[in-house]
Amino acid sequence: MTTLDLRSAIAEALERSRNRSTLLTDAVDDDDLVRQHSKLMSPLVWDLAHIGNQEELWLVRDVGGRDPVRQDIDELYDAFQHPRAERPALPLLNPVEARTYVREVRDKVFDVLDRTPLEGRRLVENGFAFGMIVQHEQQHDETMLATHQLRKGAPVLHAPNPPAAPAERLPAEVFVPGGPFEMGTSLEPWALDNERPAHQVHVDSYWIDTTPVSNGQYLAFMDAGGYDDPRWWSERGWAYRNEAKLTAPRFWQRDGDGWLRTRFGVVEPIPPDEPVVHVCYFEAEAYAAWAGKRLPTEPEWEKAARFDPETGRSRRYPWGDEDPTPEHANLGQLHLRPAPVGAYPLGQSPLGVRQLIGDVWEWLDSGFQPYPGFKAFPYREYSEVFFGGDYKMLRGGSFGTDKAAVRGTFRNWDHPIRRQIFAGFRCARDHRRD
């Protein structure tokens, strides 16, 4: 890619991210922007100004060497200084000020992009700093989308439904042969520090579900009394189930003998063929035990997603090395729901596993740990401070994840009790040799 092409690609990614941020913040009035819709989330106006502040810190001041735009607000928008529950009480920029601020920062960023050599310094090599900021904005856009899901009131976001699944009979599981494969990356230009470096990992043979677990399958677990039977729950999971009084995925509600869900302000029947979403790790773990299976580990998920048995190499994505398109995966908020299980045949892995990218983040039975040879870059607070904490891994992205913020190596993590995120799961099991 030439320098001109790289600058153009960066500019397009920056514009796509900002257009999405604008959509998510312009969809509601100023009262909704400053309101905290859940103590789990920041006010939308905090997210917007935080996006601009991170962009100013890294691109305007560091990469561009320019004078600060609003140095006086750095502490207000430092995510480590103020827990989300406390942010509404801060003297935040109001909606007009926040929009003015992010626009001023972005104007300076495009000037920096035009004038900065994209080489000679690791932070700017291949446009890394710009890619890091694109991913940061898109991650907050997905967070803001989750805030919209928590918001009460009439629907304000609209999108067409995703494509239907092809009329074909898929196997319930796919066999993944044991052996080594390359996990992580040392080559992906915009890969973040926790994805690096590439390294060999041995995985024993196993079976993995062809598709994520569907609402219909999860309803069978519920109908069988799964939420009331401690046999299926880990000790910690059962304790949380009782503490939180879990009886169904978040945003579901009883309707006579059936169930409804609320999706971005729309109350609708549960679609049985969609992947289940808004379940925590403990619910996924319990379902898997009830089904006689388990959750995949992080290496198992990545091998199923990337390993090509014909060549022995690991791909960037399940379908190959080309960037995602709408034919490969349900990404980028193009649809405000997961696609039916079995959709996106062009996005399947070499082994035949589907919907590993997009639709729902997938809970995995692994904690967040560094890879061998890990080096924090460009700052410890992105990954290193979270290693070894009370987290479970999530892989693959959701319908709310942008293509810039997901790939076969991208790693996400969260507390195992989280349910507001767009997370589901698929199951795996050991390969038993006769």
Side-chain angles (χ1 to χ4, degrees):
M1 182 182 290
T2 67
T3 300
L4 183 61
D5 288 340
L6 178 57
R7 291 187 202 279
S8 178
I10 291 169
E12 186 278 328
L14 287 166
E15 286 283 5
R16 187 175 72 249
S17 301
R18 186 51 45 84
N19 288 341
R20 186 178 178 196
S21 300
T22 301
L23 171 67
L24 289 162
T25 51
D26 284 0
V28 295
D29 61 24
D30 285 1
D31 287 341
D32 262 354
L33 278 179
V34 301
R35 181 179 296 123
Q36 186 173 47
H37 297 279
S38 165
K39 290 190 180 298
L40 294 171
M41 315 301 280
S42 307
L44 291 169
V45 75
W46 186 93
D47 282 295
L48 180 62
H50 170 75
I51 286 168
N53 186 245
Q54 286 293 108
E55 192 167 314
E56 180 191 351
L57 288 170
W58 287 102
L59 300 184
V60 176
R61 298 188 207 171
D62 192 322
V63 173
R66 309 293 178 85
D67 291 336
V69 178
R70 288 291 304 267
Q71 195 168 22
D72 59 305
I73 64 172
D74 289 353
E75 193 266 345
L76 285 177
Y77 295 99
D78 184 336
F80 286 89
Q81 294 295 320
H82 305 287
R84 288 178 176 178
E86 299 175 4
R87 290 171 188 169
L90 299 173
L92 304 176
L93 299 184
N94 65 39
V96 171
E97 292 170 331
R99 290 183 173 116
T100 299
Y101 172 60
V102 298
R103 186 165 54 247
E104 184 177 356
V105 169
R106 178 53 60 87
D107 288 344
K108 292 180 181 296
V109 164
F110 278 127
D111 188 58
V112 170
L113 177 61
D114 287 341
R115 297 170 182 269
T116 301
L118 300 179
E119 58 185 5
R121 182 185 175 201
R122 186 180 174 192
L123 187 63
V124 298
E125 197 75 35
N126 296 309
F128 174 82
F130 295 92
M132 179 180 70
I133 289 303
V134 165
Q135 292 176 82
H136 175 263
E137 181 162 3
Q138 289 287 0
Q139 287 167 340
H140 274 273
D141 286 343
E142 183 166 0
T143 298
M144 289 196 285
L145 186 64
T147 301
H148 273 271
Q149 171 64 11
L150 289 158
R151 171 187 167 272
K152 306 294 184 185
V156 296
L157 298 177
H158 307 279
N161 287 332
E168 58 181 322
R169 188 175 182 85
L170 296 172
E173 301 172 303
V174 169
F175 177 70
V176 183
F181 82 105
E182 184 181 85
M183 187 172 182
T185 180
S186 297
L187 300 175
E188 188 72 30
W190 289 2
L192 303 171
D193 59 3
N194 63 58
E195 301 172 62
R196 301 172 181 272
H199 58 290
Q200 290 289 307
V201 175
H202 177 88
V203 177
D204 291 336
S205 299
Y206 63 100
W207 294 81
I208 191 166
D209 289 355
T210 304
T211 63
V213 171
S214 70
N215 287 322
Q217 291 172 309
Y218 198 82
L219 276 164
F221 164 70
M222 293 167 60
D223 290 343
Y227 274 93
D228 300 316
D229 194 334
R231 287 182 300 166
W232 313 127
W233 299 75
S234 64
E235 182 178 353
R236 188 177 171 202
W238 184 246
Y240 181 69
R241 174 256 175 258
N242 290 321
E243 174 192 344
K245 297 180 173 56
L246 303 183
T247 59
R250 186 157 189 179
F251 307 113
W252 287 28
Q253 63 192 61
R254 268 289 187 189
D255 179 45
D257 294 333
W259 292 89
L260 299 173
R261 71 177 182 187
T262 301
R263 181 181 58 84
F264 299 108
V266 177
V267 179
E268 60 189 11
I270 304 297
D273 59 347
E274 281 185 15
V276 67
V277 65
H278 297 302
V279 291
C280 70
Y281 171 84
F282 296 127
E283 290 168 292
E285 183 183 49
Y287 173 94
W290 171 80
K293 300 182 181 183
R294 58 177 175 79
L295 296 179
T297 64
E298 190 177 18
E300 286 174 338
W301 186 95
E302 188 165 325
K303 185 168 187 178
R306 299 183 62 210
F307 180 67
D308 184 344
E310 288 193 7
T311 64
R313 66 180 289 267
S314 291
R315 299 173 166 191
R316 293 180 68 213
Y317 298 95
W319 54 85
D321 293 338
E322 64 269 27
D323 289 341
T325 70
E327 286 70 46
H328 289 123
N330 182 7
L331 293 167
Q333 204 179 308
L334 296 178
H335 314 289
L336 291 172
R337 63 197 301 166
V341 294
Y344 298 101
L346 294 181
Q348 74 178 19
S349 75
L351 295 168
V353 188
R354 291 203 184 170
Q355 291 166 288
L356 287 156
I357 300 293
D359 287 307
V360 292
W361 290 101
E362 298 185 19
W363 285 112
L364 301 175
D365 190 13
S366 296
F368 188 32
Q369 299 292 342
Y371 290 157
F374 167 84
K375 294 181 180 178
F377 178 79
Y379 63 113
R380 293 184 61 248
E381 288 78 11
Y382 182 74
S383 304
E384 189 173 4
V385 297
F386 297 102
F387 290 147
D390 182 27
Y391 303 107
K392 289 295 184 179
M393 299 308 294
L394 294 145
R395 286 297 205 102
S398 76
F399 63 87
T401 308
D402 185 76
K403 64 181 182 179
V406 71
R407 47 198 161 264
T409 58
F410 189 90
R411 307 176 76 195
N412 190 11
W413 64 98
D414 211 332
H415 295 295
I417 64 172
R418 290 289 184 251
R419 307 174 84 218
Q420 84 278 11
I421 57 177
F422 305 114
F425 63 99
R426 74 181 73 217
C427 298
R429 64 179 175 90
D430 298 342
H431 176 60
R432 296 179 179 85
R433 293 178 176 84
D434 296 332

